[in-house]
Amino acid sequence: TNQHQHQPPQLTVRPKTGMALLFFPSFRDGTPDIRTLHKGEVALSQKMIAQVWVHEREYRAGVPEGNRQEDAVEGVERERERLGFR
């Protein structure tokens, strides 16, 4: 296995007005950092997201094996129902 691949502790961040979250999704050598795999939660009112992508060199997409957005669809739908969104 890759030297960077290990099971990281889970981090939960509660949003606060004026707060930002900054993270780097890969190591300097371009290897994806699995500690940054993340998901958004359903917003109870308004949700605002801004993304800025900065690359030091030519960008090559690197997605950790087994990480597919399609796999999250069912869980997102369950959460929407649980929160009462239709």
Side-chain angles (χ1 to χ4, degrees):
T1 54
N2 187 300
Q3 65 177 349
H4 302 302
Q5 304 296 322
H6 65 280
Q7 200 60 280
Q10 184 172 344
L11 172 68
T12 300
V13 178
R14 293 197 184 277
K16 293 181 184 174
T17 301
M19 186 174 83
L21 176 64
L22 172 69
F23 63 91
F24 298 90
S26 63
F27 293 96
R28 190 164 188 88
D29 66 3
T31 304
D33 184 346
I34 64 169
R35 298 173 302 170
T36 64
L37 291 178
H38 60 282
K39 65 180 182 77
E41 296 290 344
V42 176
L44 299 178
S45 60
Q46 184 179 31
K47 183 177 191 175
M48 296 170 52
I49 299 171
Q51 294 181 331
V52 176
W53 295 85
V54 179
H55 305 283
E56 291 182 355
R57 57 189 173 275
E58 181 182 348
Y59 173 71
R60 290 182 321 241
V63 178
E65 187 176 330
N67 183 30
R68 298 178 336 127
Q69 182 174 352
E70 295 84 11
D71 294 340
V73 172
E74 185 177 313
V76 170
E77 288 303 317
R78 278 195 310 269
E79 187 69 5
R80 283 176 44 128
E81 289 177 17
R82 184 184 75 79
L83 293 171
F85 293 101
R86 303 276 179 234

